[in-house]
């Protein structure tokens, strides 16, 4: 199946309360800790849920490990990409496979804390999406990482006229319907709040815990991130500038079926 945005029509409406999407690239040591931690956090909430581990062409035993989770408990799902396609692609595949009324996305590396999830979900009554703001990064990332992400954040905010505190945090929660309008390109996982706001969705930024990466390594360095993220930023800025902005003042004789309705008849 290709990654073209066509999956939603086939997904039954909100079969579950919650889908958690976890992009996974070589995280064999983290998965056996993450899955029980998620289960433990969600047990008292009584929510019906699935955890979609999207294996992004890992070269270690990640897929095998998730398969074993699934055999024990079908709430753990595996969506495996044929080859490594990048974090945005893995996230997109997870979004398209999600069946929950709410969707959470989080890293596989235990840096995001599942204990934040119930709190994030409480905001979805009032907001369309919630994005994390890593308030205690001091303990989770080196000063070089923090400094570079502070610069990236400022540049991003300046060029896209945003006020996001922590655009690099990909720990987020959504009402599933807003993901339908989200067309992602490689690298766009960094711009999801801006892309949603462009579509008039309301996005709240909330503090989240941030933990050190204990196992495996970050897939990004400053070198491989800065330049491509900057090019992506220019694309998002262009999209924001060129967004179609109009209001229909009058529509005479528009009572017939729209193209969309006609195609469903
Ligand atoms: N990831 C992925 N495909 C990739 C790179 C990363 O699915 O090509 C996943 C990775 O396993 C992790 C998340 O995306 O769950 C974020 O990656 P990482 O932790 O390396 O980024 P950082 O937190 O260092 O910014
Ligand atoms: Mg990480």
């Amino acid at each position: 199946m290709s990654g073209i945005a066509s999956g939603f029509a086939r997904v039954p409406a909100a079969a579950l309360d919650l889908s958690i999407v976890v992009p996974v690239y070589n995280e064999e040591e983290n998965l056996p800790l993450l899955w029980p931690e998620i289960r433990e956090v969600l047990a008292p909430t009584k929510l019906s849920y699935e955890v979609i581990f999207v294996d992004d062409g890992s070269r270690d035993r990640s897929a095998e490990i998730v398969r074993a989770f699934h055999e024990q408990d079908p709430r753990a799902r595996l969506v495996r990409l044929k080859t490594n396609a990048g974090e945005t692609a893995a996230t997109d595949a997870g979004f398209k496979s999600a069946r929950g009324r709410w969707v959470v996305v989080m890293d596989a590396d235990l840096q995001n804390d599942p204990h934040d999830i119930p709190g994030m979900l409480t905001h979805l009554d009032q907001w369309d999406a919630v994005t994390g703001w890593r308030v205690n990064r001091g303990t989770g990332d080196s000063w070089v990482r923090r400094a570079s992400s502070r610069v990236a954040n400022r540049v991003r905010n300046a060029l896209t006229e945003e006020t996001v505190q922590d655009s690099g945090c990909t720990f987020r929660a959504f009402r599933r319907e807003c993901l339908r309008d989200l067309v992602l390109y490689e690298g766009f996982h960094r711009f999801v709040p801006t892309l949603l706001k462009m579509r008039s969705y309301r996005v709240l930024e909330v503090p989240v815990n941030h933990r050190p990466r204990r196992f495996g390594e970050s897939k990004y360095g400053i070198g491989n991130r800065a330049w491509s993220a900057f090019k992506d930023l220019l694309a998002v800025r262009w999209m924001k500038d060129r967004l179609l902005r109009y209001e229909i003042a009058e529509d005479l004789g528009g009572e017939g079926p729209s193209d969309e309705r006609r195609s469903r008849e």
Side-chain angles (χ1 to χ4, degrees):
M1 193 169 50
S2 81
I4 304 298
S6 60
F8 284 101
R10 275 174 283 127
V11 177
L16 299 165
D17 294 321
L18 173 66
S19 300
I20 300 182
V21 170
V22 186
V24 175
Y25 183 52
N26 297 341
E27 305 283 5
E28 64 183 0
E29 290 160 298
N30 292 310
L31 296 172
L33 297 171
L34 179 63
W35 170 227
E37 193 178 18
I38 292 175
R39 279 199 325 248
E40 192 187 295
V41 167
L42 293 181
T45 68
K46 307 279 184 249
L47 295 172
S48 59
Y49 68 90
E50 62 185 355
V51 180
I52 307 173
F53 294 94
V54 184
D55 180 62
D56 184 18
S58 291
R59 284 189 291 264
D60 67 0
R61 294 177 54 251
S62 293
E64 207 177 302
I65 290 167
V66 177
R67 239 178 256 120
F69 295 163
H70 178 75
E71 273 160 31
Q72 294 285 316
D73 182 342
R75 292 178 300 184
R77 294 182 46 202
L78 171 66
V79 170
R80 186 169 60 83
L81 307 189
K82 277 189 181 165
T83 52
N84 179 239
E87 183 179 343
T88 312
T91 303
D92 189 71
F95 284 169
K96 294 204 166 107
S97 183
R99 297 173 296 176
R101 179 158 62 98
W102 299 312
V103 179
V104 163
V105 61
M106 69 188 298
D107 286 6
D109 59 5
L110 308 171
Q111 291 207 266
N112 302 142
D113 183 346
H115 293 88
D116 284 317
I117 295 172
M120 291 167 96
L121 297 179
T122 60
H123 295 292
L124 293 180
D125 286 343
Q126 303 281 331
W127 298 81
D128 298 307
V130 178
T131 187
W133 166 16
R134 295 164 290 181
V135 279
N136 59 342
R137 279 191 83 184
T139 52
D141 284 320
S142 71
W143 72 267
V144 182
R145 284 292 296 268
R146 280 181 282 139
S148 74
S149 100
R150 218 170 12 243
V151 172
N153 221 35
R154 287 217 188 112
V155 175
R156 245 171 247 163
N157 279 336
L159 289 182
T160 55
E161 292 166 341
E162 266 290 2
T163 52
V164 181
Q165 300 281 350
D166 186 5
S167 53
C169 181
T170 48
F171 190 12
R172 302 182 174 122
F174 313 89
R175 294 185 190 178
R176 188 171 57 123
E177 59 268 24
C178 50
L179 300 178
R180 213 175 16 208
D181 290 340
L182 198 59
V183 179
L184 296 178
Y185 289 80
E186 213 173 315
F188 272 27
H189 62 274
R190 298 188 183 92
F191 301 96
V192 167
T194 303
L195 296 167
L196 288 176
K197 286 188 207 166
M198 277 163 55
R199 300 281 158 212
S200 305
Y201 288 111
R202 294 156 310 152
V203 182
L204 175 70
E205 202 167 13
V206 297
V208 292
N209 190 20
H210 191 61
R211 310 186 290 194
R213 192 186 237 283
R214 283 159 60 203
F215 307 107
E217 48 193 39
S218 171
K219 312 304 177 290
Y220 308 103
I222 295 172
N224 72 1
R225 182 158 18 201
W227 174 235
S228 59
F230 184 70
K231 284 189 294 181
D232 300 339
L233 170 61
L234 296 182
V236 172
R237 180 191 154 98
W238 177 88
M239 287 168 70
K240 201 172 165 183
D241 274 356
R242 306 293 281 168
L243 196 66
L244 295 180
R245 291 182 181 86
Y246 59 86
E247 285 177 71
I248 293 175
E250 199 168 350
D251 175 4
L252 266 181
E255 268 98 73
S258 68
D259 284 350
E260 196 197 340
R261 267 169 31 219
R262 221 177 284 134
S263 67
R264 277 195 267 120
E265 278 162 10

